[in-house]
Amino acid sequence: HLDVIEQAEPSIHAFLQIAGEQAREQADAFDALSADDKQALPELAGVPIAIKDMIVTKGIETTAASKILQGWIPPYDATVIERLKAAHMPILGKTNLDEFAQGSSTEHSAYGPTRNPWDTARVPGGSGGGSASAVAAFEAPLALGTDTGGSIRQPGALTGTVGVKPTYGGVSRYGAIAMASSLDQIGPVTRTVLDSALLQEIIGGHDPKDSTSIPAPARPMAAAAREGATRDLKGMKVGLIKEIGGEGFQPGVEARFREAVAQLEAMGAEVVEVSCPHFPYALGAYYIIMPSEVSSNLARYDGMRYGLRVMPPAGVPQTAANMMAYTREAGFGDEVKRRIILGTYALSAGYYDAWYGSAQKVRTLIIEDFNRAFEQVDVLVSPTSPSTAFKFGEKMDDPMSMYMNDIATIPANLAGVPALSIPAGLSDDGLPTGIQFIAPQQRDEVMYKPAAALE
Ligand code: GLN
Protein backbone atom coordinates (compact mmCIF):
# COMPACT_ATOMS: atom_id res chain seq x y z
CA HIS A 1 0.00 0.00 0.00
CA LEU A 2 2.87 2.38 0.65
CA ASP A 3 3.97 1.77 -2.95
CA VAL A 4 0.48 2.50 -4.28
CA ILE A 5 0.40 5.66 -2.17
CA GLU A 6 3.66 6.80 -3.73
CA GLN A 7 2.29 6.25 -7.24
CA ALA A 8 -1.19 7.68 -6.68
CA GLU A 9 -0.52 10.69 -4.45
CA PRO A 10 0.74 13.12 -7.11
CA SER A 11 -2.65 12.89 -8.86
CA ILE A 12 -4.98 12.19 -5.87
CA HIS A 13 -3.57 13.98 -2.78
CA ALA A 14 -5.59 11.91 -0.31
CA PHE A 15 -2.92 12.15 2.42
CA LEU A 16 -1.62 15.01 4.53
CA GLN A 17 0.92 12.79 6.31
CA ILE A 18 2.30 9.40 5.34
CA ALA A 19 3.58 7.42 8.32
CA GLY A 20 5.60 4.92 6.29
CA GLU A 21 8.29 4.08 8.81
CA GLN A 22 5.87 3.63 11.69
CA ALA A 23 3.51 1.56 9.52
CA ARG A 24 6.35 -0.76 8.49
CA GLU A 25 7.35 -1.25 12.13
CA GLN A 26 3.75 -2.07 13.05
CA ALA A 27 3.50 -4.53 10.14
CA ASP A 28 6.78 -6.19 11.16
CA ALA A 29 5.56 -6.49 14.75
CA PHE A 30 2.43 -8.23 13.50
CA ASP A 31 4.44 -10.59 11.29
CA ALA A 32 6.63 -11.52 14.26
CA LEU A 33 3.65 -12.75 16.31
CA SER A 34 3.18 -16.48 16.81
CA ALA A 35 0.36 -18.23 14.94
CA ASP A 36 -1.54 -18.59 18.24
CA ASP A 37 -1.24 -14.88 19.02
CA LYS A 38 -2.47 -14.00 15.53
CA GLN A 39 -5.38 -16.39 15.95
CA ALA A 40 -6.49 -14.53 19.08
CA LEU A 41 -6.66 -11.17 17.26
CA PRO A 42 -9.64 -9.78 15.28
CA GLU A 43 -10.00 -10.81 11.63
CA LEU A 44 -8.64 -7.49 10.36
CA ALA A 45 -5.40 -7.85 12.35
CA GLY A 46 -2.40 -6.87 10.24
CA VAL A 47 -4.50 -4.97 7.66
CA PRO A 48 -3.30 -1.38 7.23
CA ILE A 49 -5.59 1.62 7.63
CA ALA A 50 -5.62 5.34 6.83
CA ILE A 51 -6.94 7.86 9.37
CA LYS A 52 -8.81 11.11 8.72
CA ASP A 53 -6.71 13.95 10.09
CA MET A 54 -9.58 14.89 12.41
CA ILE A 55 -8.51 12.06 14.76
CA VAL A 56 -5.47 12.48 17.00
CA THR A 57 -2.50 10.16 16.58
CA LYS A 58 0.36 10.11 19.05
CA GLY A 59 3.58 11.26 17.41
CA ILE A 60 1.98 11.98 14.00
CA GLU A 61 1.17 15.60 13.15
CA THR A 62 -2.59 16.19 13.37
CA THR A 63 -3.97 19.36 11.75
CA ALA A 64 -7.70 18.91 10.93
CA ALA A 65 -6.50 20.37 7.58
CA SER A 66 -6.20 23.76 9.29
CA LYS A 67 -3.27 26.16 9.41
CA ILE A 68 -4.11 26.82 13.05
CA LEU A 69 -2.96 23.30 14.05
CA GLN A 70 0.05 23.16 11.73
CA GLY A 71 2.95 21.49 13.51
CA TRP A 72 0.83 20.08 16.37
CA ILE A 73 2.03 16.60 17.31
CA PRO A 74 -0.45 15.03 19.73
CA PRO A 75 0.97 13.51 22.92
CA TYR A 76 -1.76 10.85 23.00
CA ASP A 77 -3.85 8.52 20.82
CA ALA A 78 -7.61 8.69 20.30
CA THR A 79 -9.37 5.65 21.77
CA VAL A 80 -10.10 4.32 18.26
CA ILE A 81 -6.36 4.49 17.46
CA GLU A 82 -5.49 2.60 20.65
CA ARG A 83 -7.96 -0.10 19.58
CA LEU A 84 -6.51 -0.32 16.07
CA LYS A 85 -3.04 -0.65 17.53
CA ALA A 86 -4.22 -3.36 19.92
CA ALA A 87 -5.55 -5.19 16.85
CA HIS A 88 -2.10 -4.80 15.19
CA MET A 89 -3.43 -2.72 12.31
CA PRO A 90 -0.65 -0.56 10.83
CA ILE A 91 -1.47 3.13 10.41
CA LEU A 92 -0.55 4.32 6.92
CA GLY A 93 -1.02 8.04 7.54
CA LYS A 94 -3.45 10.91 7.92
CA THR A 95 -5.99 11.81 5.24
CA ASN A 96 -7.17 15.16 3.91
CA LEU A 97 -10.48 16.84 4.73
CA ASP A 98 -12.29 20.14 4.60
CA GLU A 99 -10.80 22.30 7.37
CA PHE A 100 -12.20 21.07 10.72
CA ALA A 101 -14.52 18.75 8.73
CA GLN A 102 -16.58 21.70 7.50
CA GLY A 103 -17.57 21.19 3.88
CA SER A 104 -18.79 18.69 1.31
CA SER A 105 -15.97 18.65 -1.24
CA THR A 106 -12.56 18.69 0.54
CA GLU A 107 -11.92 22.00 -1.27
CA HIS A 108 -11.84 23.79 2.10
CA SER A 109 -8.61 22.04 3.17
CA ALA A 110 -5.85 24.54 3.95
CA TYR A 111 -3.44 22.14 2.23
CA GLY A 112 -5.14 21.86 -1.18
CA PRO A 113 -8.00 19.61 -2.32
CA THR A 114 -8.16 15.85 -2.77
CA ARG A 115 -9.12 14.56 -6.22
CA ASN A 116 -11.69 11.90 -7.05
CA PRO A 117 -9.98 8.82 -8.55
CA TRP A 118 -12.98 8.30 -10.88
CA ASP A 119 -12.30 11.68 -12.53
CA THR A 120 -9.53 13.88 -11.18
CA ALA A 121 -11.32 17.03 -12.40
CA ARG A 122 -14.00 16.28 -9.79
CA VAL A 123 -14.28 16.45 -6.01
CA PRO A 124 -14.38 13.30 -3.87
CA GLY A 125 -17.07 14.79 -1.62
CA GLY A 126 -16.41 15.90 1.91
CA SER A 127 -15.45 16.53 4.44
CA GLY A 128 -13.76 13.12 4.42
CA GLY A 129 -12.67 13.17 0.77
CA GLY A 130 -9.16 12.03 1.70
CA SER A 131 -10.24 8.80 3.38
CA ALA A 132 -12.77 8.02 0.62
CA SER A 133 -10.30 8.67 -2.21
CA ALA A 134 -7.53 6.70 -0.45
CA VAL A 135 -9.82 3.66 -0.30
CA ALA A 136 -11.24 4.17 -3.82
CA ALA A 137 -7.72 4.50 -5.30
CA PHE A 138 -6.51 1.34 -3.49
CA GLU A 139 -4.00 3.39 -1.47
CA ALA A 140 -5.55 1.93 1.69
CA PRO A 141 -7.91 -1.04 2.12
CA LEU A 142 -9.61 0.63 5.09
CA ALA A 143 -9.92 4.11 6.56
CA LEU A 144 -11.57 5.97 9.39
CA GLY A 145 -13.67 9.09 8.95
CA THR A 146 -15.83 11.38 11.06
CA ASP A 147 -19.45 12.15 10.23
CA THR A 148 -21.21 15.22 11.65
CA GLY A 149 -23.68 15.76 8.81
CA GLY A 150 -22.62 13.21 6.20
CA SER A 151 -18.82 13.47 5.94
CA ILE A 152 -18.35 9.70 5.77
CA ARG A 153 -21.43 8.77 3.73
CA GLN A 154 -21.51 11.50 1.05
CA PRO A 155 -17.83 10.98 0.06
CA GLY A 156 -18.63 7.25 0.06
CA ALA A 157 -21.38 7.83 -2.50
CA LEU A 158 -19.18 10.09 -4.65
CA THR A 159 -16.21 7.69 -4.72
CA GLY A 160 -17.99 4.31 -4.86
CA THR A 161 -16.93 3.24 -1.35
CA VAL A 162 -18.77 2.01 1.74
CA GLY A 163 -19.12 4.56 4.56
CA VAL A 164 -20.73 4.11 7.96
CA LYS A 165 -21.91 6.56 10.60
CA PRO A 166 -22.49 4.43 13.73
CA THR A 167 -25.12 5.15 16.39
CA TYR A 168 -24.16 8.30 18.33
CA GLY A 169 -22.22 7.02 21.34
CA GLY A 170 -21.44 3.69 19.69
CA VAL A 171 -17.83 4.63 18.94
CA SER A 172 -15.73 6.68 21.36
CA ARG A 173 -15.12 10.32 20.40
CA TYR A 174 -12.15 10.58 22.78
CA GLY A 175 -9.41 12.02 20.58
CA ALA A 176 -11.75 13.00 17.74
CA ILE A 177 -11.22 16.73 17.21
CA ALA A 178 -14.57 18.26 18.13
CA MET A 179 -16.60 19.92 15.39
CA ALA A 180 -20.20 19.74 16.67
CA SER A 181 -20.07 17.42 19.65
CA SER A 182 -23.74 16.39 19.73
CA LEU A 183 -23.51 15.25 16.08
CA ASP A 184 -19.93 13.96 15.58
CA GLN A 185 -19.27 10.25 15.21
CA ILE A 186 -16.22 8.28 14.03
CA GLY A 187 -16.87 5.47 11.54
CA PRO A 188 -15.46 3.10 8.88
CA VAL A 189 -14.66 3.80 5.22
CA THR A 190 -14.09 0.54 3.30
CA ARG A 191 -14.63 -1.26 0.01
CA THR A 192 -17.01 -3.93 1.35
CA VAL A 193 -19.85 -3.99 3.87
CA LEU A 194 -18.25 -6.86 5.81
CA ASP A 195 -15.00 -4.87 6.18
CA SER A 196 -16.98 -1.99 7.70
CA ALA A 197 -18.74 -4.36 10.09
CA LEU A 198 -15.48 -5.95 11.22
CA LEU A 199 -13.84 -2.53 11.63
CA GLN A 200 -16.77 -1.06 13.58
CA GLU A 201 -16.62 -4.03 15.95
CA ILE A 202 -12.94 -3.23 16.63
CA ILE A 203 -13.35 0.52 17.22
CA GLY A 204 -16.81 0.37 18.84
CA GLY A 205 -18.03 -0.38 22.35
CA HIS A 206 -17.93 1.50 25.63
CA ASP A 207 -15.12 3.90 26.52
CA PRO A 208 -15.08 5.52 29.98
CA LYS A 209 -13.06 8.43 28.51
CA ASP A 210 -16.09 9.61 26.48
CA SER A 211 -19.01 10.61 28.68
CA THR A 212 -21.47 10.13 25.78
CA SER A 213 -20.20 6.60 25.05
CA ILE A 214 -22.96 3.98 25.40
CA PRO A 215 -22.10 1.48 28.18
CA ALA A 216 -22.61 -1.60 26.00
CA PRO A 217 -20.40 -3.74 23.78
CA ALA A 218 -20.31 -3.25 19.99
CA ARG A 219 -23.27 -4.80 18.16
CA PRO A 220 -22.98 -8.12 16.22
CA MET A 221 -22.48 -6.39 12.88
CA ALA A 222 -20.21 -8.88 11.09
CA ALA A 223 -22.69 -11.70 11.74
CA ALA A 224 -25.47 -9.54 10.26
CA ALA A 225 -23.34 -8.73 7.19
CA ARG A 226 -22.62 -12.44 6.68
CA GLU A 227 -26.31 -13.23 7.02
CA GLY A 228 -27.08 -10.55 4.42
CA ALA A 229 -24.59 -12.09 2.02
CA THR A 230 -26.97 -15.05 1.59
CA ARG A 231 -29.26 -12.53 -0.17
CA ASP A 232 -32.38 -13.63 1.63
CA LEU A 233 -34.35 -10.66 3.00
CA LYS A 234 -37.64 -12.41 3.66
CA GLY A 235 -39.40 -10.91 6.67
CA MET A 236 -37.56 -7.58 6.45
CA LYS A 237 -39.60 -4.40 6.08
CA VAL A 238 -37.89 -1.54 4.25
CA GLY A 239 -39.20 2.06 4.30
CA LEU A 240 -38.70 4.51 1.44
CA ILE A 241 -38.46 8.01 2.91
CA LYS A 242 -41.03 10.03 0.97
CA GLU A 243 -39.41 13.38 1.74
CA ILE A 244 -35.93 12.56 0.37
CA GLY A 245 -35.69 12.71 -3.42
CA GLY A 246 -37.45 14.43 -6.30
CA GLU A 247 -36.53 18.04 -6.93
CA GLY A 248 -32.81 18.69 -6.79
CA PHE A 249 -31.91 15.01 -7.22
CA GLN A 250 -30.05 13.99 -10.37
CA PRO A 251 -32.23 11.63 -12.49
CA GLY A 252 -29.41 9.06 -12.76
CA VAL A 253 -29.04 9.00 -8.96
CA GLU A 254 -32.77 8.35 -8.52
CA ALA A 255 -32.82 5.69 -11.26
CA ARG A 256 -29.99 3.69 -9.61
CA PHE A 257 -31.73 4.09 -6.25
CA ARG A 258 -35.02 2.70 -7.61
CA GLU A 259 -33.17 -0.24 -9.18
CA ALA A 260 -31.47 -0.98 -5.86
CA VAL A 261 -34.84 -0.93 -4.09
CA ALA A 262 -36.26 -3.33 -6.71
CA GLN A 263 -33.38 -5.69 -5.93
CA LEU A 264 -34.18 -5.55 -2.21
CA GLU A 265 -37.75 -6.52 -3.11
CA ALA A 266 -36.53 -9.34 -5.35
CA MET A 267 -34.59 -10.72 -2.37
CA GLY A 268 -37.80 -10.92 -0.37
CA ALA A 269 -37.95 -7.58 1.45
CA GLU A 270 -41.30 -5.83 1.75
CA VAL A 271 -40.95 -2.21 0.64
CA VAL A 272 -43.36 0.52 1.75
CA GLU A 273 -43.32 4.32 1.58
CA VAL A 274 -42.88 6.08 4.92
CA SER A 275 -43.42 9.77 5.64
CA CYS A 276 -41.02 11.78 7.81
CA PRO A 277 -42.82 15.12 7.59
CA HIS A 278 -40.20 17.20 9.41
CA PHE A 279 -37.19 16.14 7.30
CA PRO A 280 -37.50 19.22 5.04
CA TYR A 281 -36.52 21.28 8.12
CA ALA A 282 -33.48 19.15 9.01
CA LEU A 283 -30.95 21.06 6.91
CA GLY A 284 -32.06 24.39 8.39
CA ALA A 285 -31.90 23.08 11.95
CA TYR A 286 -28.47 21.53 11.32
CA TYR A 287 -27.03 24.78 9.99
CA ILE A 288 -28.00 26.48 13.28
CA ILE A 289 -27.07 23.72 15.75
CA MET A 290 -23.80 22.73 14.04
CA PRO A 291 -22.28 26.27 13.80
CA SER A 292 -23.38 26.98 17.38
CA GLU A 293 -21.36 24.00 18.59
CA VAL A 294 -18.52 24.84 16.19
CA SER A 295 -18.25 28.38 17.58
CA SER A 296 -17.93 26.98 21.09
CA ASN A 297 -15.58 24.07 20.25
CA LEU A 298 -13.20 26.16 18.14
CA ALA A 299 -12.77 28.75 20.91
CA ARG A 300 -9.88 26.60 22.19
CA TYR A 301 -7.66 27.56 19.22
CA ASP A 302 -6.38 30.71 20.81
CA GLY A 303 -2.67 30.65 20.00
CA MET A 304 -1.88 29.60 23.57
CA ARG A 305 -2.25 25.85 23.55
CA TYR A 306 -1.72 24.35 20.11
CA GLY A 307 0.05 24.92 16.80
CA LEU A 308 0.05 28.38 15.28
CA ARG A 309 0.74 31.64 17.18
CA VAL A 310 0.77 35.01 15.38
CA MET A 311 1.95 38.04 17.37
CA PRO A 312 0.43 41.44 16.54
CA PRO A 313 2.62 43.55 14.27
CA ALA A 314 4.75 46.40 15.65
CA GLY A 315 2.62 49.35 16.73
CA VAL A 316 -0.29 47.15 17.80
CA PRO A 317 -0.48 46.54 21.59
CA GLN A 318 1.14 43.17 22.37
CA THR A 319 -1.76 41.89 24.45
CA ALA A 320 -3.07 38.35 24.79
CA ALA A 321 -6.39 39.37 23.20
CA ASN A 322 -4.60 40.83 20.15
CA MET A 323 -2.40 37.76 19.83
CA MET A 324 -5.55 35.58 19.82
CA ALA A 325 -7.24 37.78 17.21
CA TYR A 326 -4.21 37.76 14.89
CA THR A 327 -3.74 34.02 15.33
CA ARG A 328 -7.39 33.22 14.53
CA GLU A 329 -7.45 35.66 11.60
CA ALA A 330 -4.41 33.97 10.05
CA GLY A 331 -5.15 30.39 11.14
CA PHE A 332 -8.77 29.82 10.12
CA GLY A 333 -10.09 29.65 6.55
CA ASP A 334 -13.18 31.45 5.24
CA GLU A 335 -15.69 28.63 5.74
CA VAL A 336 -14.62 28.06 9.36
CA LYS A 337 -14.85 31.79 10.04
CA ARG A 338 -18.31 31.90 8.46
CA ARG A 339 -19.52 29.16 10.81
CA ILE A 340 -17.95 30.70 13.93
CA ILE A 341 -19.70 33.99 13.13
CA LEU A 342 -23.04 32.25 12.40
CA GLY A 343 -22.85 30.19 15.58
CA THR A 344 -21.82 33.11 17.78
CA TYR A 345 -24.80 35.05 16.43
CA ALA A 346 -27.26 32.17 16.92
CA LEU A 347 -26.16 31.74 20.54
CA SER A 348 -26.06 35.43 21.46
CA ALA A 349 -28.40 36.86 24.11
CA GLY A 350 -31.74 37.85 22.60
CA TYR A 351 -31.38 35.51 19.62
CA TYR A 352 -30.79 32.24 21.48
CA ASP A 353 -34.47 31.24 21.74
CA ALA A 354 -35.34 32.37 18.22
CA TRP A 355 -32.53 30.44 16.56
CA TYR A 356 -30.86 27.80 18.70
CA GLY A 357 -33.99 27.05 20.76
CA SER A 358 -36.17 26.62 17.65
CA ALA A 359 -33.60 24.43 15.94
CA GLN A 360 -33.48 22.14 18.99
CA LYS A 361 -37.27 21.80 18.83
CA VAL A 362 -37.04 20.80 15.16
CA ARG A 363 -34.43 18.26 16.18
CA THR A 364 -36.93 16.67 18.59
CA LEU A 365 -39.56 16.52 15.83
CA ILE A 366 -37.08 14.72 13.57
CA ILE A 367 -36.33 12.19 16.31
CA GLU A 368 -40.09 11.60 16.61
CA ASP A 369 -40.37 11.15 12.82
CA PHE A 370 -37.73 8.40 13.06
CA ASN A 371 -39.48 6.79 16.03
CA ARG A 372 -42.79 6.64 14.14
CA ALA A 373 -41.06 5.35 11.00
CA PHE A 374 -39.34 2.54 12.92
CA GLU A 375 -42.69 1.46 14.35
CA GLN A 376 -43.65 0.67 10.74
CA VAL A 377 -40.40 -0.69 9.21
CA ASP A 378 -37.07 -2.30 10.20
CA VAL A 379 -34.81 -0.09 8.11
CA LEU A 380 -35.12 3.12 6.05
CA VAL A 381 -33.53 3.79 2.65
CA SER A 382 -32.81 6.87 0.53
CA PRO A 383 -30.25 8.04 -2.00
CA THR A 384 -27.12 9.15 -0.10
CA SER A 385 -26.34 12.29 -2.08
CA PRO A 386 -28.48 14.28 -4.52
CA SER A 387 -25.78 14.27 -7.21
CA THR A 388 -22.67 12.48 -8.37
CA ALA A 389 -19.22 14.05 -7.96
CA PHE A 390 -19.17 17.67 -9.11
CA LYS A 391 -16.33 19.66 -10.66
CA PHE A 392 -13.81 21.67 -8.64
CA GLY A 393 -14.97 25.23 -8.05
CA GLU A 394 -18.58 24.53 -9.03
CA LYS A 395 -20.05 25.19 -5.58
CA MET A 396 -17.28 27.14 -3.84
CA ASP A 397 -18.91 30.56 -4.33
CA ASP A 398 -22.34 29.35 -3.30
CA PRO A 399 -22.38 27.98 0.27
CA MET A 400 -26.11 27.15 0.04
CA SER A 401 -25.65 24.81 -2.91
CA MET A 402 -22.70 23.19 -1.09
CA TYR A 403 -24.88 22.73 2.02
CA MET A 404 -27.66 21.11 -0.09
CA ASN A 405 -25.36 18.10 -0.57
CA ASP A 406 -26.17 17.04 2.98
CA ILE A 407 -29.93 16.99 2.58
CA ALA A 408 -30.20 13.18 2.80
CA THR A 409 -27.50 12.50 5.38
CA ILE A 410 -28.21 15.12 8.08
CA PRO A 411 -31.42 13.69 9.64
CA ALA A 412 -29.49 10.65 10.96
CA ASN A 413 -26.95 12.89 12.73
CA LEU A 414 -29.67 15.03 14.30
CA ALA A 415 -31.36 11.91 15.67
CA GLY A 416 -28.19 9.98 16.58
CA VAL A 417 -29.32 6.94 14.58
CA PRO A 418 -26.87 4.77 12.60
CA ALA A 419 -26.68 5.08 8.81
CA LEU A 420 -24.46 3.72 6.08
CA SER A 421 -23.92 4.28 2.37
CA ILE A 422 -22.97 1.67 -0.21
CA PRO A 423 -22.37 2.04 -3.95
CA ALA A 424 -25.58 1.79 -6.02
CA GLY A 425 -24.01 1.66 -9.49
CA LEU A 426 -22.93 4.31 -11.94
CA SER A 427 -25.16 7.18 -12.98
CA ASP A 428 -25.68 8.13 -16.64
CA ASP A 429 -22.58 10.33 -16.39
CA GLY A 430 -20.45 7.26 -15.55
CA LEU A 431 -19.88 8.34 -11.93
CA PRO A 432 -20.73 6.42 -8.72
CA THR A 433 -24.00 6.83 -6.83
CA GLY A 434 -24.88 5.72 -3.30
CA ILE A 435 -27.82 4.22 -1.43
CA GLN A 436 -28.21 4.96 2.27
CA PHE A 437 -29.62 2.58 4.91
CA ILE A 438 -30.74 3.98 8.28
CA ALA A 439 -31.45 1.80 11.33
CA PRO A 440 -32.88 2.46 14.81
CA GLN A 441 -30.56 3.71 17.54
CA GLN A 442 -28.20 1.06 18.95
CA ARG A 443 -29.36 -1.44 16.33
CA ASP A 444 -26.51 -0.87 13.86
CA GLU A 445 -26.52 -4.53 12.79
CA VAL A 446 -30.00 -4.06 11.26
CA MET A 447 -28.64 -1.87 8.42
CA TYR A 448 -25.66 -4.15 7.73
CA LYS A 449 -27.81 -7.08 6.61
CA PRO A 450 -29.66 -5.51 3.64
CA ALA A 451 -26.52 -3.54 2.69
CA ALA A 452 -24.51 -6.76 2.46
CA ALA A 453 -27.35 -8.42 0.54
CA LEU A 454 -27.35 -5.67 -2.07
CA GLU A 455 -23.56 -5.49 -2.43
N1 GLN B 1 -20.86 18.68 4.85
C1 GLN B 1 -21.38 18.87 6.16
C2 GLN B 1 -20.91 20.18 6.72
O1 GLN B 1 -20.31 20.91 6.00
C3 GLN B 1 -21.02 17.72 7.03
C4 GLN B 1 -19.68 17.80 7.61
C5 GLN B 1 -19.32 16.61 8.44
O2 GLN B 1 -20.05 15.62 8.50
N2 GLN B 1 -18.21 16.73 9.15
O3 GLN B 1 -21.14 20.52 7.84
Side-chain angles (χ1 to χ4, degrees), residues 281 284-289 292 342-363:
Y281 306 103
Y286 172 82
Y287 275 95
I288 295 293
I289 293 167
S292 298
L342 265 172
T344 307
Y345 176 78
L347 291 177
S348 56
Y351 295 110
Y352 180 92
D353 286 335
W355 295 108
Y356 188 76
S358 305
Q360 289 291 22
K361 286 179 189 158
V362 172
R363 188 175 192 169

Side-chain angles (χ1 to χ4, degrees), residues 52 101-104 126-127 146-151 179 286-287 290 339 406:
K52 188 182 186 184
Q102 298 173 25
S104 305
S127 64
T146 62
D147 192 312
T148 302
S151 282
M179 176 185 165
Y286 172 82
Y287 275 95
M290 173 276 296
R339 295 187 190 205
D406 308 322

Side-chain angles (χ1 to χ4, degrees), residues 398-411:
D398 183 0
M400 265 313 286
S401 91
M402 190 74 93
Y403 296 170
M404 291 301 280
N405 268 281
D406 308 322
I407 197 116
T409 46
I410 276 172

Side-chain angles (χ1 to χ4, degrees), residues 40-126:
L41 290 170
E43 278 178 70
L44 293 180
V47 180
I49 184 164
I51 309 294
K52 188 182 186 184
D53 204 24
M54 194 70 173
I55 300 171
V56 308
T57 41
K58 188 175 178 172
I60 307 175
E61 185 187 358
T62 299
T63 66
S66 180
K67 290 274 182 240
I68 212 156
L69 276 174
Q70 196 164 30
W72 183 57
I73 301 189
Y76 70 105
D77 274 324
T79 294
V80 291
I81 302 296
E82 279 179 355
R83 291 184 182 180
L84 296 176
K85 285 182 175 171
H88 283 269
M89 296 172 70
I91 290 166
L92 292 166
K94 305 301 291 290
T95 57
N96 199 13
L97 62 149
D98 288 291
E99 183 178 2
F100 284 107
Q102 298 173 25
S104 305
S105 68
T106 319
E107 292 169 285
H108 293 299
S109 167
Y111 304 102
T114 295
R115 295 178 181 279
N116 191 322
W118 290 81
D119 176 353
T120 53
R122 291 175 188 272
V123 304

Side-chain angles (χ1 to χ4, degrees), residues 41-45 49 79-80 82-84 86-87 89 142-144 164 166-167 170-172 185-190 193-207 216-227 444-449:
L41 290 170
E43 278 178 70
L44 293 180
I49 184 164
T79 294
V80 291
E82 279 179 355
R83 291 184 182 180
L84 296 176
M89 296 172 70
L142 309 167
L144 288 186
V164 184
T167 291
V171 175
S172 171
Q185 211 27 212
I186 294 175
V189 178
T190 65
V193 173
L194 180 59
D195 280 351
S196 274
L198 292 167
L199 182 53
Q200 197 184 329
E201 287 187 9
I202 291 170
I203 60 173
H206 184 237
D207 175 19
R219 305 291 303 174
M221 291 163 288
R226 289 194 164 104
E227 214 183 295
D444 300 47
E445 71 281 6
V446 171
M447 64 191 181
Y448 274 100
K449 184 178 167 181

